[in-house]
Amino acid sequence: MVYPSCEIIHLRGSSLSEKFRFRFLIKKAATNSGNYMKQIIKSLLPHGFVSSIQRRNRESLRGKWNELDSQRVADQLLAPYSYEKSIEFLCSRGTPEDQVRQGSMPEASLRLVANIITSEFQGTEPVTGIHIGNFLGVSLAYLVHAARAINPKSLLIGIDPNIPHRGVASPQHEVMALLDHFALTSNALCVAAYSLEKSISNDGKDYSGVYNPDTEFSREHSCEHGLEQLGRFLNGSIDFILLDGNHDGQYLQRELDHCTALLRPGGILILDDVSQAWMGIVEQFDQLGHHFEKLTADGRIGVAKRIPFK
């Protein structure tokens, strides 16, 4: 390592206190000469003086953090949550409205889910849910808002691999912006992962015209087996799960096996796209078996309750 040169120069006619001074000759070729200068100056100054400067810098930084956070909170107070406002916010960030709406659950179905969850768990301890398949976070934010109304300490875990979808390169970036805008980040935990093993994006469909899921598969990376990992410490304790991820029937069936283990007795299971357009999902909902009691279906979602363990 090459350090800047340091010369001690004798000054003729100077007082004793001024007899010597330091001249630091910085070699222009030294890449990190500025850092070396800081190190040398720091070593020459008294420790207490250096500590005082560092303390003032930390206090100044905290002050800036507090100021920025206060402004963030003030902005959030001006943005009360609603379904339509969440759509409007996402569109303001550049996603076309048709892609936001087509890629999200309709408000009527989400209202049905929220009413069921509220009816089942109102007045209880904080509820914990899992939301599989976030896209831009419209349904995630809706249910976080609903769960927090039940208990301020409620938590919704969102699982999504964060790979391009409907022309959005990084959906989770939009999800986090949405949650933060409506002050919902304290009640959500987003996990970038596939629910099971890695699978092809967009169910193999090219929605945007510029993205081919087949050719992009090898370039997309995320954690895998998110449900299995959560099951290691959450099995039998989850209050509700919404499944809106991979639409392949066999993939969904294996997801349901994990969800069955994760849900507590009386827990609520919600499947999206239980419609004629996705017969594989319809079949899985129809074949839920003895572990579930079907509650309702509205042509878009299917809702069932976990039967107590026997």
Side-chain angles (χ1 to χ4, degrees), residues 127-131 147 154-158 237-242:
V127 295
T128 302
I130 295 176
H131 184 286
S154 295
L155 173 68
L156 187 54
I157 303 169
S237 67
I238 299 299
D239 297 295
F240 67 94
I241 298 176
L242 187 148

Side-chain angles (χ1 to χ4, degrees), residues 89-90 93-95 135-137 168 170-179:
F89 174 78
L90 291 166
R93 291 175 57 84
T95 304
F135 186 35
L136 298 172
V168 181
S170 178
Q172 185 162 297
H173 187 71
E174 301 305 304
V175 172
M176 296 312 303
L178 179 66
L179 293 173

Side-chain angles (χ1 to χ4, degrees), residues 85-110:
K85 286 185 180 296
S86 70
I87 300 288
E88 180 182 330
F89 174 78
L90 291 166
C91 292
S92 73
R93 291 175 57 84
T95 304
E97 183 175 351
D98 63 329
Q99 294 299 321
V100 177
R101 291 189 183 278
Q102 291 172 21
S104 303
M105 293 176 63
E107 184 176 11
S109 294
L110 287 171

Side-chain angles (χ1 to χ4, degrees), residues 23 26 40 72 120 131 159 173 192 194 198 215 237 240 287 296:
R23 177 186 297 165
I26 309 300
I40 294 172
R72 181 176 72 97
E120 292 289 334
H131 184 286
I159 301 178
H173 187 71
Y194 294 92
K198 182 177 181 178
T215 58
S237 67
F240 67 94
Q287 298 170 11
T296 188

Side-chain angles (χ1 to χ4, degrees), residues 10-257:
H10 181 68
L11 303 177
R12 292 185 59 187
S14 299
S15 64
L16 185 61
S17 63
E18 298 175 335
K19 230 175 202 185
F20 299 94
R21 69 185 176 89
F22 288 99
R23 177 186 297 165
F24 297 94
L25 305 175
I26 309 300
K27 295 182 179 180
K28 293 182 179 180
T31 311
N32 298 316
S33 59
N35 291 333
Y36 298 151
M37 173 71 82
K38 292 178 182 178
Q39 293 171 11
I40 294 172
I41 293 175
K42 183 177 178 180
S43 68
L44 295 174
L45 293 173
H47 176 72
F49 183 72
V50 173
S51 297
S52 176
I53 292 175
Q54 292 175 337
R55 183 169 57 254
R56 284 200 298 270
N57 288 340
R58 288 195 298 270
E59 291 172 354
S60 175
L61 187 58
R62 288 194 198 100
K64 291 179 181 177
W65 286 343
N66 291 335
E67 181 180 346
L68 290 171
D69 195 53
S70 296
Q71 183 59 54
R72 181 176 72 97
V73 172
D75 292 341
Q76 290 171 340
L77 292 174
L78 298 174
Y81 175 80
S82 75
Y83 182 90
E84 286 301 322
K85 286 185 180 296
S86 70
I87 300 288
E88 180 182 330
F89 174 78
L90 291 166
C91 292
S92 73
R93 291 175 57 84
T95 304
E97 183 175 351
D98 63 329
Q99 294 299 321
V100 177
R101 291 189 183 278
Q102 291 172 21
S104 303
M105 293 176 63
E107 184 176 11
S109 294
L110 287 171
R111 188 184 304 116
L112 174 60
V113 172
N115 288 341
I116 292 173
I117 292 172
T118 302
S119 175
E120 292 289 334
F121 305 120
Q122 188 67 54
T124 67
E125 296 294 316
V127 295
T128 302
I130 295 176
H131 184 286
I132 300 169
N134 300 334
F135 186 35
L136 298 172
V138 173
S139 56
L140 178 70
Y142 194 100
L143 294 181
V144 169
H145 184 259
R148 190 170 66 178
I150 295 172
N151 189 297
K153 297 294 185 181
S154 295
L155 173 68
L156 187 54
I157 303 169
I159 301 178
D160 190 287
N162 189 35
I163 55 180
H165 187 55
R166 290 182 174 271
V168 181
S170 178
Q172 185 162 297
H173 187 71
E174 301 305 304
V175 172
M176 296 312 303
L178 179 66
L179 293 173
D180 187 57
H181 181 70
F182 291 107
L184 299 171
T185 49
S186 295
N187 299 90
L189 178 63
C190 291
V191 179
Y194 294 92
S195 57
L196 303 177
E197 73 279 357
K198 182 177 181 178
S199 60
I200 195 166
S201 177
N202 293 352
D203 299 301
K205 298 181 179 180
D206 184 351
Y207 288 106
S208 64
V210 296
Y211 171 84
N212 187 319
D214 295 328
T215 58
E216 294 297 323
F217 181 78
S218 62
R219 302 188 185 97
E220 296 168 348
H221 311 286
S222 192
C223 296
E224 299 182 63
H225 300 286
L227 285 175
E228 180 182 347
Q229 302 307 325
L230 290 178
R232 296 174 65 175
F233 52 92
L234 290 176
N235 269 355
S237 67
I238 299 299
D239 297 295
F240 67 94
I241 298 176
L242 187 148
L243 276 161
D244 185 21
N246 193 308
H247 283 40
D248 176 76
Q250 293 183 358
Y251 197 96
L252 175 59
Q253 183 179 31
R254 290 186 290 124
E255 286 180 319
L256 287 170
D257 290 339

